[in-house]
Amino acid sequence: MSAANSMATDESLLHDLVGGLSLPGPDATVSVGIVGSRAHPPQPPAHCLRACLGGDPNAIATHGCAFLKAAAAGTAAAGSLPEGRCEKGYRAAAQQTVLGGGAAILCTLEGAQHAGMPQLGGADLIRHLDAVSRLVQGVDRILAENAGFADEVLQNYEQLNLIFDLTQQIAQVTDVVEIERILIQRVARLVEAERACIVTPADEYHAYEVAGESISCAAEPPQLPVAQLRELVDGIRHTRQVQVSAAGNWQVIAGPLVRLDDSVHVIIAARQSGAHAFTAGDMMALESVLAFGGQIISNSELHERLRRMSMEVTRALVAAIDKKDHYTSGHSERGGFLARLTAQEMGLPVSELQNIEWAGLLHDVGKIGIPEDILCKPGKLTNEEFDVIKQHPRMGYEILQPIGSFQMVLDGVLYHHEYPDGSGYPEGLVGDEIPVVARIIHVVDTFDALTSTRSYRKAFSIEKACDIIREDKGTRIDAEAAEAFFRALETYMTTEPEDFTARFPCASEHSDDR
Ligand SMILES: [Fe+2]
C-alpha cells in the first residue's frame, strides 16, 4: 500500500467517524459534519442537507446556506446566526479544528423533525462540538502515528520481500561470481541505490550500474574521494559493521561480506543525494542481507572445495588402478572426459553431465579385483581368463554401491559392457534396457581401447577406430550414442587440437592393422 493510499484511507476513516456521530434517519435531531478546506472537502451534516437542501451537496453553492458558506470560508462561529438559528429555523454552530495537519470546520445542526422532540440549546451545541472536536482530533493524531508505523512496516515488508527473493534466487546458483552479482543487484534495490561496487581483499574494485532488474559493469566506483573511500573500506574491514557516509552528491552505505577464509569483501551502494539519507532500517537490512550472502558464498566455496577434493582423490585412486595395466594408463580419465562431451552432444541435462563424467572416470574401478597376470596378459586370453575379466563391472558396482555419494554412477559402472544386441555382460540387457550413461561409456571406452597401443598391437588411427565403431553400430554399440560421439569428437579435435593431442598421444603413433 502506498503512503498516498494510506492518507486517503485515513481521510475516509475520519469522515466515517464524523458520519457515525450523526444521527441519521427521519427523526434525527442533531448531526455533525466537516466543512473544510481543499484537504477536507465540504461535507455538511447529512441531516442538514436532507432536511434543508434536499440531499444535494452541490445545493450549498447554488441555493446557498449562509451559515454553511460562512463555515466553509472559516468565518462562521457560534453566535454568528441570529438567535443561533439558520434561516430555515435550525439551530447551528461551527468550530474550527485541525485535521490531517490542515484547517477544517466542524459544524453541527439541530432541528426537530416533528413537534415534541426535545431540542438542545445553543450552549449544548457548542459543548457537543467541543466533545466531537477532541474526539476527532484524537483519532486524527492516532491515524498520523499509525501512518508512520505503516510506512515503517511497509518498508520492512518490502525489504523482507527482497531478502526472500534473494534466498530463492541464490538457492539455485552455485557459482560464487554469479552469487556476488545477484547479491549486489539485490543490495542496490534494497537501499534504492544507482551504483554499487565490491572491493576485494586485494583492493580490486568491481563497479556496477544498477537500474531495476538490470545490472551492468560501471567504469567507476561511487564518486567518493579516494581518501574517504579508503577510510570507509578500512573501517568496515576492521569493525565488520555496516556504515553510512556521504560526499558531494552521493549518499553511501557499505558493509562487509565475510567469506569462508575470513577475508572481508566490502560492498558499497550509493545514490545521488536529494533522496533521503540512509536510515537505521537500511543499515539493518543491509547487515542481514550481507550476513546471509556471506553464509551462502561460504557454503558454495566449501561445497566447491569438497567437490574438488573428492574429484582429486577419486582421480588419484583411478590413476592407481590404471597403472596396473601400463598399456591403459589414463584410460579412465579420458573415458570420463569423452563421456561428458558425448552426453553434452546428446542434449542430456546439464545437471547430469557431472554424474556421467564421474561414471566414465570410475567405470573400470572393478579391475582392481582382477589378478594382474590376467589383466596385463600380453597374449590372447583363454575363455576362463576372459570370464574373470568379465567380472570387473560387477566388482566395480560392489565396491561403489555402499558409498552413498556414488549412487549416480552405479548404472554406468555395472552396465558399460552391455551391447544393444544382448550379447554383452554381465546381464545381457538389450537396446533401451541399457541405461543411456552405460551406452555412452561403452562407446568412449571402445574408442579409447582402439586408439591405445596394447602389448599385441599398436594404436589404431582416429579414422580407423571410428570406422570400427561404425561397423558395430546397432549390434555391439548404441547407434545414437555413437553418432553423438562422432560429432563431439569432431568438434573437440577441430576446436582444441593441442588439447586433443595431449590427451590422446597414442593416436599419433597408430597402426591401422586390426
Ligand atoms: Fe570395462
Side-chain angles (χ1 to χ4, degrees):
M1 187 196 296
S2 71
N5 283 342
S6 167
M7 186 71 76
T9 305
D10 294 348
E11 281 195 23
S12 158
L13 191 58
L14 274 173
H15 286 179
D16 287 347
L17 172 69
V18 176
L21 291 169
S22 301
L23 301 174
D27 294 334
T29 57
V30 178
S31 54
V32 179
I34 300 173
V35 177
S37 58
R38 192 174 49 183
H40 296 89
Q43 189 195 26
H47 170 68
C48 170
L49 289 175
R50 189 169 56 248
C52 199
L53 298 170
D56 178 6
N58 296 323
I60 300 168
T62 54
H63 292 83
C65 166
F67 175 72
L68 287 176
K69 275 186 184 169
T75 57
S80 65
L81 300 172
E83 297 178 351
R85 290 177 182 275
C86 75
E87 58 189 26
K88 296 286 183 182
Y90 292 96
R91 287 185 181 277
Q95 182 165 302
Q96 285 199 0
T97 189
V98 175
L99 290 178
I105 303 290
L106 282 173
C107 70
T108 185
L109 267 289
E110 183 263 346
Q113 293 295 293
H114 54 80
M117 290 293 288
Q119 295 199 1
L120 298 174
D124 294 327
L125 285 180
I126 296 298
R127 277 198 297 279
H128 186 63
L129 272 187
D130 281 344
V132 168
S133 177
R134 282 195 298 277
L135 180 60
V136 169
Q137 284 186 332
V139 171
D140 191 41
R141 196 167 49 248
I142 292 169
L143 288 176
E145 287 171 5
N146 281 351
F149 289 138
D151 284 349
E152 204 173 314
V153 168
L154 186 64
Q155 190 184 4
N156 288 344
Y157 172 76
E158 285 174 355
Q159 288 178 340
L160 277 175
N161 231 2
L162 277 170
I163 292 172
F164 179 72
D165 280 355
L166 177 70
T167 59
Q168 295 284 93
Q169 210 175 350
I170 283 186
Q172 317 293 327
V173 183
T174 53
D175 180 64
V176 170
V177 175
E178 179 63 8
I179 292 174
E180 267 184 10
R181 200 188 66 82
I182 293 171
L183 200 58
I184 287 176
Q185 183 201 29
R186 292 291 162 170
V187 162
R189 274 193 63 193
L190 188 70
V191 298
E192 297 175 350
E194 302 137 23
R195 197 172 283 187
C197 82
I198 186 163
V199 186
T200 70
D203 280 341
E204 290 166 352
Y205 285 70
H206 303 294
Y208 301 91
E209 299 276 357
V210 182
E213 290 295 326
S214 76
I215 178 168
S216 54
C217 290
E220 296 176 347
Q223 303 289 316
L224 279 180
V226 173
Q228 194 175 341
L229 193 60
R230 181 78 268 155
E231 190 183 341
L232 181 68
V233 169
D234 287 347
I236 288 169
R237 282 178 184 156
H238 179 66
T239 63
R240 302 196 173 192
Q241 300 282 320
V242 171
Q243 295 185 19
V244 294
S245 183
N249 289 329
W250 291 91
Q251 293 281 348
V252 177
I253 188 167
L257 186 67
V258 183
R259 303 281 277 264
L260 184 65
D261 59 1
D262 210 38
S263 63
V264 178
H265 294 235
V266 176
I267 292 205
I268 302 174
R271 65 185 178 212
Q272 301 266 20
S273 65
H276 60 85
F278 288 112
T279 62
D282 292 327
M283 293 173 76
M284 282 176 64
L286 183 63
E287 196 172 290
S288 304
V289 166
L290 293 186
F292 170 74
Q295 197 62 48
I296 292 288
I297 288 178
S298 293
N299 287 347
S300 270
E301 288 176 327
L302 187 59
H303 178 265
E304 176 57 23
R305 192 184 290 176
L306 289 173
R307 193 196 66 80
R308 206 178 308 126
M309 193 171 77
S310 319
M311 195 64 144
E312 284 165 1
V313 169
T314 306
R315 284 201 161 111
L317 167 73
V318 166
I321 296 164
D322 281 357
K323 285 274 189 291
K324 279 188 79 174
D325 181 351
H326 303 298
Y327 287 104
T328 60
S329 178
H331 169 70
S332 300
E333 185 77 33
R334 293 190 295 271
F337 176 77
L338 289 177
R340 185 187 184 99
L341 287 188
T342 306
Q344 201 167 3
E345 181 65 33
M346 289 175 81
L348 294 183
V350 174
S351 56
E352 284 294 307
L353 300 182
Q354 186 64 56
N355 292 343
I356 291 173
E357 182 174 350
W358 280 95
L361 191 63
L362 289 161
H363 72 280
D364 270 346
V365 76
K367 283 186 176 173
I368 200 166
I370 305 295
E372 215 158 311
D373 57 331
I374 298 179
L375 193 63
C376 306
K377 183 178 176 181
K380 193 171 167 46
L381 295 172
T382 65
N383 288 343
E384 292 72 26
E385 288 167 339
F386 190 53
D387 284 342
V388 174
I389 288 279
K390 281 160 73 174
Q391 293 171 16
H392 80 273
R394 190 164 296 283
M395 283 183 177
Y397 175 87
E398 286 167 0
I399 289 169
L400 298 175
Q401 202 273 336
I403 305 173
S405 52
F406 279 144
Q407 297 306 297
M408 74 289 186
V409 306
L410 295 179
D411 277 353
V413 173
L414 183 59
Y415 299 122
H416 74 274
H417 283 291
E418 299 286 357
Y419 304 152
D421 63 4
S423 64
Y425 60 91
E427 294 184 9
L429 300 182
V430 177
D432 290 346
E433 291 175 357
I434 306 169
V436 68
V437 57
R439 289 183 252 159
I440 290 172
I441 293 173
H442 181 54
V443 177
V444 302
D445 189 26
T446 304
F447 174 79
D448 194 68
L450 290 169
T451 53
S452 296
T453 295
R454 315 308 285 258
S455 59
Y456 50 90
R457 62 151 171 82
K458 290 198 89 177
F460 289 114
S461 69
I462 305 296
E463 296 72 21
K464 180 69 179 171
C466 288
D467 284 345
I468 295 169
I469 290 172
R470 213 169 268 119
E471 283 170 22
D472 288 343
K473 243 180 17 176
T475 52
R476 291 167 59 92
I477 290 183
D478 179 75
E480 184 190 2
E483 288 303 330
F485 169 71
F486 294 147
R487 292 194 301 275
L489 183 67
E490 177 70 29
T491 305
Y492 173 49
M493 289 168 61
T494 310
T495 56
E496 298 177 63
E498 288 172 7
D499 190 64
F500 173 77
T501 306
R503 275 185 197 271
F504 295 90
C506 291
S508 54
E509 308 160 1
H510 58 82
S511 155
D512 281 350
D513 301 329
R514 192 172 187 181

